[in-house]
Amino acid sequence: MMVSQFTKSLRGTIIVFLVLLINVARPEVFTALVEMEELLETEAVLITNLEEYIRAQEEKLQFLKNRFVVLTLDLNGAAVALMRLQDTYKLDTASVARGELNGIQYATEMSVGDCFELGRQSYINGDFYHTVLWMREAMDRLLRSENGTTTTKADILEYLAFSTYKQ
């Protein structure tokens, strides 16, 4: 009987302890839930702002892509026009690259990169004759240049070799 009395007393003590524990923990749980709701609201605002930022960046990227296409077409058109002028007036490639027409200096000289790009545009258009002319000029300028350039000898030789083969 004594065990049963002790068990009942222990059960009562445990129940009282659990009730007290629940009453003490309940405000903390409520506070934690309120803080979680605030975090979820903050997260929703951040997600909305991030989506708006991504949308704005995608619009900028689309604008730049369209602009790049226009600039590429402009560059190609200008290169084609220059090749026509070169053929029509039988202009020497080196003279044009120096900015000189009929012995008169009109503009600054073209860089290695400028000559390379004119050759590359000719290559893109399947005009291997002009590709060879402008790649040779780019190579001559590269070999004479003392300042740095992003155009490499290997790049020039690759276009030059294939275009010479295709002529």
Side-chain angles (χ1 to χ4, degrees), residues 97-154:
R98 284 192 307 271
E100 184 181 300
L101 300 174
N102 294 329
I104 300 170
Q105 185 73 35
Y106 286 99
T108 59
E109 290 196 24
M110 291 183 180
S111 68
V112 174
D114 295 335
C115 295
F116 176 80
E117 189 58 35
L118 284 170
R120 196 178 76 78
Q121 290 299 317
S122 296
Y123 179 87
I124 289 170
N125 293 326
D127 181 357
F128 301 114
Y129 171 75
H130 286 105
T131 302
V132 169
L133 292 177
W134 285 100
M135 288 300 170
R136 282 185 181 157
E137 184 61 29
M139 181 61 76
D140 290 345
R141 289 176 176 274
L142 180 69
L143 295 175
R144 287 191 315 255
S145 77
E146 294 177 12
N147 56 356
T149 179
T150 58
T151 307
T152 66
K153 189 174 183 179

